[in-house]
Amino acid sequence: MKQFATLIIGTSTLMLGVTAPVVQAQAQTPAYRLIERDMAASNRIQVQITPGRATPISFTQTDEAIAYILVADPSQLVYTTDTDLKSGRATTIFLRAIQPLKFPGTTTTAITNLLVQTVDKTGQKRLYNFDIVPQRTKTGYVGIQIANAITSGTAPRRGAAFESSAIAGQQTLLIDKNRRARVDDIENGLRIAINRGYTNKSDPVVPKVQQLLDLLRNSRVTIKEAATSVGVPVEVISELGRIALNDRLLRLGQQR
């Protein structure tokens, strides 16, 4: 991954004039992992927890209230909610790791699941299934935020990459003044990066990019938001798009 990281820092330096924004982007921890409600309700969502820290799962961006919670293996995890479940107004769960306890007759597992049933203002119920993954080191986000529909919602900052579409599978990312990378370009860029030895299939960034591609093709989420969700700097995704676009331009030149 060192060669790939060097390539990213070099191109970012040319594009932005300084390397500091790149270092900052790689060091920052995204505040929340945003997940669209329909995707969260139809998939098992991983939630990382760290000893000594509370991890929230929030439904405040939806019209849902938490009605029921079940932890399959309660021996290593406790939770609280922002208000009593009986009030019908609870919207956030706070998870905390604890020292393992022993409950007679119960079974334990390294990765347990948390079931959360919600009800919206129309009375519709939804059941969410979260896999609780213990981590010894700092996680890539501070919590999970469930949202009705994830859209950018704000104007792009000057010099920032701007995505023109949040329609599933049609998102684009501004690479330079006249070029945009599509979802397919990011996938092709990853393939090219592996083939050229910039990175390898065993690098942790590879499954994260693949997770990002699945998210983009199945949810109305922008590329920047998807990158934040899976914990990959947007500069990495931008460079994968650039690699694919440059490769396409090279091949077109060779055909002439």
Side-chain angles (χ1 to χ4, degrees), residues 196-208:
R196 292 180 181 175
Y198 298 153
T199 187
N200 57 71
K201 292 182 179 180
S202 63
D203 194 290
V205 77
V206 173
K208 287 187 176 182

Side-chain angles (χ1 to χ4, degrees), residues 7-143:
L7 177 64
I8 294 170
I9 293 173
T11 53
S12 298
T13 302
L14 294 174
M15 183 171 60
L16 300 176
V18 292
T19 57
V22 179
V23 175
Q24 183 182 32
Q26 291 177 336
Q28 286 178 338
T29 298
Y32 282 92
R33 180 184 173 197
L34 288 168
I35 304 175
E36 190 172 22
R37 179 169 65 181
D38 291 345
M39 179 183 182
S42 58
N43 293 275
R44 292 167 59 185
I45 305 300
Q46 285 195 352
V47 182
Q48 298 175 350
I49 60 171
T50 306
R53 300 183 65 89
T55 301
I57 300 176
S58 175
F59 294 86
T60 55
Q61 292 193 24
T62 72
D63 62 348
E64 297 168 83
I66 301 167
Y68 182 75
I69 301 171
L70 173 67
V71 180
D73 174 12
S75 66
Q76 302 181 58
L77 179 74
V78 295
Y79 68 85
T80 56
T81 54
D82 55 342
T83 188
D84 194 289
L85 293 183
K86 295 179 180 180
S87 70
R89 297 192 302 271
T91 57
T92 304
I93 306 168
F94 301 94
L95 306 176
R96 290 180 296 162
I98 60 173
Q99 292 291 340
L101 301 174
K102 291 185 178 180
F103 295 102
T106 62
T107 57
T108 62
T109 180
I111 298 178
T112 190
N113 66 318
L114 171 76
L115 298 176
V116 181
Q117 187 176 71
T118 65
V119 58
D120 63 22
K121 292 181 179 179
T122 67
Q124 180 178 350
K125 295 182 179 179
R126 293 179 179 85
L127 184 63
Y128 297 88
N129 193 343
F130 299 96
D131 280 343
I132 308 303
V133 183
Q135 297 284 322
R136 287 293 177 186
T137 58
K138 185 178 180 181
T139 61
Y141 48 84
V142 300

Side-chain angles (χ1 to χ4, degrees), residues 174-234:
L174 184 66
I175 300 301
D176 51 40
K177 185 176 180 181
N178 298 311
R179 298 191 301 173
R180 287 184 177 278
R182 302 170 300 177
V183 177
D184 288 346
D185 293 324
I186 297 170
E187 184 174 42
N188 289 336
L190 178 63
R191 175 181 52 79
I192 294 169
I194 293 173
N195 290 340
R196 292 180 181 175
Y198 298 153
T199 187
N200 57 71
K201 292 182 179 180
S202 63
D203 194 290
V205 77
V206 173
K208 287 187 176 182
V209 174
Q210 292 170 337
Q211 183 182 357
L212 173 138
L213 293 169
D214 290 339
L215 184 60
L216 291 173
R217 286 173 172 145
N218 292 289
S219 301
R220 290 174 295 175
V221 56
T222 64
I223 293 175
K224 183 177 179 181
E225 290 162 340
T228 298
S229 175
V230 301
V232 176
V234 72

